[in-house]
Amino acid sequence: MEAEKAAKVCPGTDSAGVSYTSHLDLWSDDKKKASWYKKAEEYWDAQAATLDGILGGFPETSEPDLRESRRFLNIVRSAPKPPGRRRVLDCGAGIGRVTKGLLLEEFDSVDLVEPNERLLEQAKKEAGDARTERFIASSLEQFAPEEARYDVIWAQWVLLYLTDEDLVAFLERCKKGLSSNGTIFVKENVVIEGQWNVDRDDNSISRTDAMYKEIFKKAGLVLQDELRQAHWPKELVPVKMYALRRS
Ligand SMILES: C[S@@+](CC[C@H](N)C(=O)[O-])C[C@H]1O[C@@H](n2cnc3c(N)ncnc32)[C@H](O)[C@@H]1O
């Protein structure tokens, strides 16, 4: 029983060339955890509130990204008991790129949550319309979705900033935020072969597929579907989409 509860030890590396025997060493005390989040905050403070800034210098990836997301959403919608189309939450929304290019076209209304107030202001300018209801300034580790408010919770290129412990806790809170048949969509950089890697520029972790699946299980979520992003530059970390339901 204890062995089951114990987190799996996953070795990995960071962009400074340091090797780790376990990813948990990244966040093993409060000081490390605080500096983990501070780095990401500082990084996003320094980025331009533009497509180029939000996509790390690869603005051309936005279009294939949104196209594949829509394809995945339609696959999930064609399964029995699909999620509703009423309200969606965009997590780590940045300048509202996903809200504007996908979610507003696919749902009646969108809430956005984003900790960087400058980016959130830009999201209001770029994606704000009568159907964007709430612009919430918060980090995900401090945020709890309102109970049963969302048909879909969309988290893209943001869970890579959360520690494992905070991510499991966040997903557990998301479960409570879902309506019936509600679905959580996760779209993240995922290492398909090899070990996890941390980018020390912004303290983001590219987890392995197995690490994500372990986290989903811990949070009491069932993997309904998964798809690897196609039409993706070879020099970039692969991207995967997961659709998750309450177990
Ligand atoms: C790569 S951008 C992605 C933005 C948007 N999801 C998209 O795909 O266009 C990462 C976003 O995550 C936000 N972020 C960073 N750390 C976060 C945290 N702990 N909680 C919530 N958002 C965070 C950043 O401020 C930034 O807007």
Side-chain angles (χ1 to χ4, degrees):
M1 187 67 182
E2 279 310 306
E4 253 176 48
K5 271 194 214 159
K8 287 208 176 98
V9 169
C10 305
T13 53
D14 71 16
S15 55
V18 180
S19 295
Y20 300 78
T21 48
S22 167
H23 62 303
L24 300 174
D25 294 341
L26 294 166
W27 317 295
S28 51
D29 58 48
D30 287 350
K31 209 171 140 203
K32 279 189 192 170
K33 207 177 144 176
S35 77
W36 172 264
Y37 283 117
K38 191 160 178 275
K39 184 85 188 180
E41 225 179 282
E42 287 168 356
Y43 176 87
W44 286 105
D45 274 346
Q47 299 313 302
T50 60
L51 204 54
D52 191 55
I54 216 76
L55 293 178
F58 296 91
E60 68 281 8
T61 58
S62 189
E63 202 235 299
D65 160 61
L66 294 169
R67 199 172 356 107
E68 283 287 286
S69 295
R70 197 183 309 271
R71 188 160 80 89
F72 186 52
L73 183 60
N74 285 331
I75 291 171
V76 173
R77 280 176 167 172
S78 65
K81 296 191 180 169
R85 293 169 185 249
R86 211 169 38 95
R87 194 181 283 123
V88 57
L89 174 68
D90 184 357
C91 298
I95 59 170
R97 184 188 68 88
V98 180
T99 289
K100 187 179 169 187
L102 175 74
L103 304 177
L104 274 171
E105 292 171 17
E106 299 290 342
F107 295 87
D108 295 342
S109 73
V110 187
D111 289 350
L112 296 83
V113 55
E114 161 62 44
N116 184 300
E117 299 205 17
R118 184 176 50 90
L119 298 180
L120 195 60
E121 273 310 306
Q122 190 62 26
K124 271 184 203 159
K125 285 185 199 146
E126 296 205 9
D129 82 359
R131 296 180 302 119
T132 42
E133 287 188 61
R134 295 181 183 174
F135 289 84
I136 305 156
S138 176
S139 66
L140 296 186
E141 64 276 15
Q142 288 164 326
F143 175 71
E146 186 183 310
E147 215 161 294
R149 182 171 167 85
Y150 299 106
D151 296 311
V152 162
I153 295 180
W154 191 279
Q156 174 161 1
W157 286 324
V158 65
L159 303 184
L160 72 180
Y161 292 112
L162 267 57
T163 68
D164 274 28
E165 196 185 357
D166 285 346
L167 177 49
V168 171
F170 173 66
L171 291 172
E172 280 172 339
R173 294 194 294 277
C174 283
K175 285 196 299 184
K176 296 190 185 134
L178 292 174
S179 57
S180 65
N181 298 334
T183 304
I184 301 170
F185 284 79
V186 167
K187 184 166 189 176
E188 291 293 340
N189 292 344
V190 175
V191 175
I192 307 290
E193 270 177 46
Q195 301 182 340
W196 58 263
N197 183 261
V198 164
D199 184 342
R200 283 299 180 188
D201 283 346
D202 63 349
N203 273 357
S204 59
I205 179 166
S206 295
R207 294 181 168 91
T208 64
D209 185 57
M211 285 164 87
Y212 270 115
K213 286 176 178 166
E214 178 74 17
I215 285 169
F216 300 152
K217 210 163 107 189
K218 268 197 187 142
L221 290 163
V222 173
L223 182 62
Q224 189 196 336
D225 217 332
E226 59 190 305
L227 187 69
R228 183 170 168 181
Q229 167 79 30
H231 312 291
W232 200 241
K234 287 204 168 38
E235 67 271 25
L236 298 183
V237 181
V239 171
K240 272 196 77 172
M241 295 171 268
Y242 304 96
L244 304 154
R245 294 241 174 149
R246 281 181 290 236
S247 51

